[in-house]
């Protein structure tokens, strides 16, 4: 075959994003993308086929996957006819000619994505084909003008030459479709019935409450094991396991209930758990005496269930709903009351110029917090085995346990300060970790759990605090795993309140520039009104708000949305993490509802200079690739190494797994 000529353009996104955009209109896509092949071939055994589901910005792609390198000839290939997939992903081989296999699949109406080396000649390309390469930071797209053979090496050379001459044109990805939330349906039926009923329920009567996760056009990577939990006032909490299939709705789960004798709206909660994570929470109102059944959404940590990992990774969760919480550590969840759980911080006075304290003052601060944190833990979770579940997970996995506190809004309990070891007033002993990881200690890498086995008696240990022992998260909305799916350089927008101390602000900026690339930071002094325009576009991975407490309120953010300062949808693809230097409890829900992936901020006001120091440490770790949960945990330990316990005053409102890329 003769070489073909190409029409070459460029685009921004990932190669697999453009595969989703080009197929099925292009029945052959030739691509060089080792990372993409790693995604689609995950779990592929030698000599076999598999099906893989990959979520892209454009749509969800299901691949039928076959690695031709595992076979000596076309005649030894297994059949792909029964392997589901929108497209067939093949990895090319140099041992024999794969063109007839590709042509056969195309003839059967199955688009082919052929992963190959950049210098390999591929025959059988034509006008219904496309070649995709990579020339950072752009994806290179090429469409043959005729039929023949081609190689990606020539396409990339043509792209770079056109780019050098300023003659390159760029193709945008189609806008991602608006994804509707997956519905969770609740229905009431008579015992043993096969159909639901409508209308009022009789007082003191027996019924069944049915629930199921509905169908959705999003395909899951595989069947998902979930658990439905129904809690109605005056009745024991009930739990039923079920499977959500990769496609279609789940089967119904059923709960037996007896209505109260009073004719009142009977209000409870239905929670869908993935492991211990409450991914969907809705209020259930059953009309005893009069009215109609209804449900009210309360919290969604996943909109479609497609972003949930096959294996849950958290050790325990606390679902906060007003002044009570539903606690799950593997068994049937239990309710606890949160009334009167405020924990004050020790005095900030006595910090040295390096934001630290000496060893006696550090121990006194730890003991002050441990006394209060232990009392709260005993009152809330005394017999639930939560501490055992967290420590067991750390020992088994060799990683800090994941601990989730999920809530539709911010609460009053400072969860990082909870201390899950017994500790009372009076004589106590110091765990060796107090000295090793405190000021002037030996330090070293912080392990997943305390290296000291004996914690009997009245013992003070930093690993007793949840903020130090666990990777703690407080999601207030859907869990986001990546700020941006695109391989752009790290970018941060810093907005500064002009009322802050100018000298301390300049020092903070100088320190920040030494921790992350100066080219990645844009900054400006702004008013609240100007801030809305600064944050309107998808131009940053992190929004750093260097503000006084009260500088910005939720009503101002609502005005940006209402008056069109922020487009709709806002931050639909690149979902920045908001990092603040002052408390942002009233702003978390507003930012998350408008597209932010999460918020990191202190829960109490801290001095401006120390707030800048802490923020710089968090941002440098995020920029280096750490997850948000691990970054904040490391910063808490870094502060502790100077005798500063104020890291326990910081919270992550978002997924602990969140990374910039």
């Amino acid at each position: 075959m003769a070489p073909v000529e190409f029409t070459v353009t460029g685009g921004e996104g990932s190669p697999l994003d453009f595969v989703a955009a080009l197929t099925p209109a292009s029945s052959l896509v030739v691509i060089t993308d080792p990372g993409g092949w790693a995604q689609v071939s995950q779990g592929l055994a030698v000599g076999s086929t598999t099906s893989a589901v990959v979520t892209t910005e454009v749509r969800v792609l299901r691949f039928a996957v076959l690695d031709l390198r595992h076979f000596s000839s076309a005649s030894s290939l297994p059949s792909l006819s029964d392997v589901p997939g929108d497209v067939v992903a093949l990895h090319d081989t140099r041992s024999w000619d794969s063109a007839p296999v590709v042509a056969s699949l195309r003839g059967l109406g199955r688009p082919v994505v052929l992963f190959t080396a950049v210098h390999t000649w591929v025959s059988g390309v034509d006008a219904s084909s496309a070649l995709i390469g990579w020339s950072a930071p752009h994806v290179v797209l090429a469409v043959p003008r005729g039929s023949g053979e081609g190689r990606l090496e020539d396409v990339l050379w043509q792209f770079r030459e056109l780019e050098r001459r300023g003659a390159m044109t760029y193709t945008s990805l189609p806008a991602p479709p608006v994804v509707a939330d997956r519905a969770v349906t609740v229905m009431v039926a008579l015992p043993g019935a096969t159909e639901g009923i409508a209308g009022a329920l009789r007082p003191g009567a027996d019924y069944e409450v049915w629930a199921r996760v509905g169908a959705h056009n999003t395909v899951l990577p595989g069947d998902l094991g979930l658990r439905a939990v129904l809690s109605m006032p005056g009745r024991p909490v009930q739990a039923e396991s079920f499977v959500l299939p990769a496609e279609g709705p789940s089967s119904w789960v059923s709960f037996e209930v007896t209505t109260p004798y009073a004719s009142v709206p009977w209000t409870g909660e239905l929670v869908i758990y993935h492991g211990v994570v409450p991914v969907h929470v809705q209020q259930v109102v059953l009309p005893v005496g009069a009215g109609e059944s209804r449900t009210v959404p309360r919290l969604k940590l996943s909109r479609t269930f497609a972003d949930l990992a096959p294996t849950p990774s958290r050790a325990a969760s606390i679902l906060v709903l007003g002044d009570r919480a539903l606690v799950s550590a593997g068994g049937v969840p239990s309710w606890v009351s949160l009334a009167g759980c405020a924990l004050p911080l020790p005095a900030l006075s006595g910090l040295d110029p390096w934001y630290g304290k000496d060893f006696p003052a550090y121990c006194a601060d730890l003991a002050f917090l441990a006394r209060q944190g232990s009392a709260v833990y005993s009152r809330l979770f005394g017999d639930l085995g939560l501490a055992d579940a967290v420590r067991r997970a750390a020992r088994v996995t060799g990683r800090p346990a994941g601990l989730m506190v999920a809530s539709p809004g911010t609460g009053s309990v400072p969860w990082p300060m909870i201390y899950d070891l017994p500790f009372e007033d009076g004589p106590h002993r110091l765990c060796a970790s107090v000295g090793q990881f405190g000021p002037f200690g030996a330090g070293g890498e912080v392990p997943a759990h305390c290296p000291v086995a004996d914690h009997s008696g009245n013992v003070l240990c930093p690993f007793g605090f949840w903020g130090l022992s666990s990777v703690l998260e407080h999601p207030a909305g859907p869990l986001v795993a990546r700020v941006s799916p695109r391989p752009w350089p790290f970018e941060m927008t810093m907005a500064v309140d002009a009322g802050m101390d100018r000298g301390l602000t300049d020092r903070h900026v100088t320190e920040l520039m030494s921790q992350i690339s100066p080219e990645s930071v844009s900054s400006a002094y702004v008013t609240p009104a100007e801030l809305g325009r600064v944050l309107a576009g998808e131009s940053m991975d992190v929004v750093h708000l260097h503000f006084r407490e009260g500088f910005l309120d939720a009503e101002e953010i609502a005005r940006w949305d209402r008056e069109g300062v922020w487009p709709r949808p806002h931050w639909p693809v690149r979902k920045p993490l908001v990092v603040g230097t002052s408390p942002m409890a009233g702003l978390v829900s507003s930012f998350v509802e408008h597209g932010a992936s999460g918020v990191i901020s202190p829960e109490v006001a801290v001095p401006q200079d120390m707030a800048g120091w802490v923020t710089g440490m968090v941002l440098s770790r995020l920029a280096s690739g750490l997850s948000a949960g691990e970054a904040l945990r490391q910063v808490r330990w870094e502060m502790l190494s100077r005798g500063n316990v104020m890291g326990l005053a910081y919270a992550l409102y978002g997924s602990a797994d969140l990374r910039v890329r």
Side-chain angles (χ1 to χ4, degrees):
M1 287 188 174
V4 296
E5 294 184 353
F6 300 94
T7 300
V8 178
T9 61
E12 290 186 342
S14 76
L16 290 185
D17 290 336
F18 283 94
V19 168
L22 292 169
T23 57
S26 295
S27 58
L28 171 62
V29 176
V30 181
I31 183 171
T32 173
D33 181 20
W37 175 252
Q39 278 185 277
V40 303
S41 65
Q42 189 172 8
L44 175 65
V46 174
S48 65
T49 60
T50 190
S51 183
V53 177
V54 177
T55 301
T56 73
E57 283 190 35
V58 179
R59 61 188 174 100
V60 175
L61 280 173
R62 170 163 280 188
F63 291 94
V65 187
L66 180 62
D67 193 333
L68 302 181
R69 297 172 297 179
H70 295 166
F71 305 93
S72 58
S73 66
S75 61
S76 62
L77 295 178
S79 172
L80 279 168
S81 60
D82 58 347
V83 182
D86 308 316
V87 295
V88 177
L90 302 178
H91 198 295
D92 205 0
T93 175
R94 298 183 186 180
S95 303
W96 45 274
D97 183 13
S98 60
V101 175
V102 174
S104 174
L105 289 167
R106 294 176 72 187
L108 294 172
R110 302 193 74 177
V112 175
V113 181
L114 183 66
F115 290 84
T116 189
V118 68
H119 54 271
T120 301
W121 285 97
V122 178
S123 59
V125 300
D126 52 32
S128 61
S129 305
L131 277 69
I132 298 181
W134 179 257
S135 180
H138 295 105
V139 172
V140 179
L141 311 172
V143 176
R145 296 175 185 169
S147 299
E149 62 179 359
R151 60 179 181 175
L152 287 156
E153 192 172 49
D154 297 330
V155 170
L156 294 174
W157 179 88
Q158 187 176 338
F159 173 86
R160 290 171 184 140
E161 180 63 17
L162 289 170
E163 200 173 40
R164 184 184 66 80
R165 289 163 27 201
M168 177 51 59
T169 58
Y170 295 93
T171 302
S172 299
L173 284 168
V178 177
V179 179
D181 290 0
R182 187 187 285 262
V184 175
T185 305
V186 176
M187 190 177 297
V188 180
L190 294 170
T194 57
E195 294 184 357
I197 60 173
L201 309 182
R202 291 181 291 113
D206 293 335
Y207 292 93
E208 292 179 354
V209 175
W210 298 349
R212 76 167 178 179
V213 179
H216 199 270
N217 58 8
T218 298
V219 179
L220 305 183
D223 293 351
L224 200 60
L226 300 171
R227 185 169 52 151
V229 171
L230 180 68
S231 174
M232 301 300 296
R235 305 290 184 268
V237 177
Q238 301 181 67
E240 292 289 339
S241 298
F242 66 98
V243 173
L244 177 61
E247 298 185 61
S250 72
S251 57
W252 291 94
V253 294
S254 175
F255 303 96
E256 296 180 356
V257 299
T258 301
T259 57
Y261 287 98
S263 295
V264 294
W266 195 29
T267 303
E269 279 80 28
L270 175 75
V271 186
I272 305 297
Y273 279 92
H274 178 237
V276 299
V277 176
V279 295
H280 180 97
V281 185
Q282 62 188 36
Q283 191 179 72
V284 177
V285 182
L286 302 183
V288 181
E292 296 286 338
S293 299
R294 59 189 175 91
T295 60
V296 180
R298 300 203 68 180
L299 178 67
K300 292 183 180 182
L301 300 187
S302 175
R303 298 183 59 193
T304 67
F305 294 78
D307 52 358
L308 301 180
T311 304
S313 60
R314 276 73 173 180
S317 73
I318 301 167
L319 172 61
V320 179
L321 297 172
D323 60 357
R324 61 182 189 150
L326 193 59
V327 181
S328 176
V332 176
S334 302
W335 285 104
V336 298
S337 172
L338 301 180
C341 290
L343 296 176
L345 281 162
L348 274 174
S349 58
L351 292 176
D352 62 30
W354 297 274
Y355 315 112
K357 290 188 178 183
D358 60 25
F359 190 77
Y362 152 71
C363 291
D365 286 349
L366 275 184
F368 174 85
L369 291 176
R371 277 192 295 273
Q372 300 174 94
S374 180
V376 171
Y377 177 85
S378 297
R379 183 162 66 80
L380 294 182
F381 314 112
D383 299 324
L384 299 183
L386 205 55
D388 293 337
V390 170
R391 288 191 172 82
R392 183 169 57 250
R395 287 194 299 268
V396 170
T397 64
R399 301 187 304 273
L403 183 56
M404 174 182 287
V405 179
S407 174
T410 53
S412 58
V413 180
W415 299 103
M417 299 182 208
I418 296 293
Y419 189 79
D420 60 15
L421 294 170
F423 194 84
E424 300 176 349
D425 281 324
H428 60 270
R429 65 184 179 87
L430 300 182
C431 173
S433 292
V434 174
Q436 178 180 351
F437 299 107
F440 312 109
E445 183 177 352
V446 179
H449 55 85
C450 184
V452 179
D454 181 15
H455 286 114
S456 59
N458 207 33
V459 62
L460 182 62
C461 175
F463 285 91
F465 293 99
W466 280 2
L468 296 167
S469 67
S470 309
V471 176
L472 191 59
E473 60 191 345
H474 309 264
L479 301 175
V480 178
R482 292 285 184 275
V483 167
S484 173
R486 299 177 180 176
W488 285 330
F490 177 82
E491 294 180 280
M492 184 183 79
T493 294
M494 178 178 176
V496 182
D497 169 10
M500 301 285 274
D501 183 289
R502 187 64 175 261
L504 294 179
T505 297
D506 290 344
R507 190 172 85 180
H508 170 50
V509 172
T510 301
E511 292 174 347
L512 200 58
M513 297 303 183
S514 69
Q515 294 169 305
I516 60 178
S517 171
E519 293 78 16
S520 66
V521 181
S522 61
S523 61
Y525 284 90
V526 294
T527 64
E530 293 167 335
L531 179 63
R533 292 189 291 274
V534 170
L535 304 183
E538 290 185 298
S539 58
M540 74 293 287
D541 299 303
V542 169
V543 174
H544 176 22
L545 301 181
H546 193 59
F547 287 176
R548 294 165 294 171
E549 186 176 7
F551 177 81
L552 181 66
D553 57 35
E555 175 53 35
E556 183 68 20
I557 298 176
R559 186 185 67 79
W560 299 339
D561 178 69
R562 185 175 60 250
E563 297 180 2
V565 178
W566 278 2
R568 294 182 182 177
H570 185 241
W571 294 336
V573 176
R574 199 177 192 183
K575 296 181 170 297
L577 174 66
V578 180
V579 179
T581 54
S582 62
M584 298 178 64
L587 304 176
V588 170
S589 296
S590 296
F591 275 117
V592 171
E593 288 169 4
H594 289 92
S597 58
V599 175
I600 294 178
S601 67
E603 298 290 84
V604 297
V606 297
Q608 181 183 339
D609 54 346
M610 193 182 83
W613 169 59
V614 175
T615 304
M617 290 193 292
V618 171
L619 292 174
S620 64
R621 286 166 169 80
L622 290 171
S624 70
L626 279 184
S627 66
E630 184 57 31
L632 186 53
R633 180 176 181 266
Q634 286 190 14
V635 167
R636 291 190 182 117
W637 280 101
E638 172 68 21
M639 297 173 72
L640 205 73
S641 71
R642 303 193 187 192
N644 188 328
V645 301
M646 287 299 292
L648 297 174
Y650 280 77
L652 164 63
Y653 292 98
S655 171
D657 298 329
L658 174 69
R659 297 178 189 270
V660 174
R661 299 286 181 270

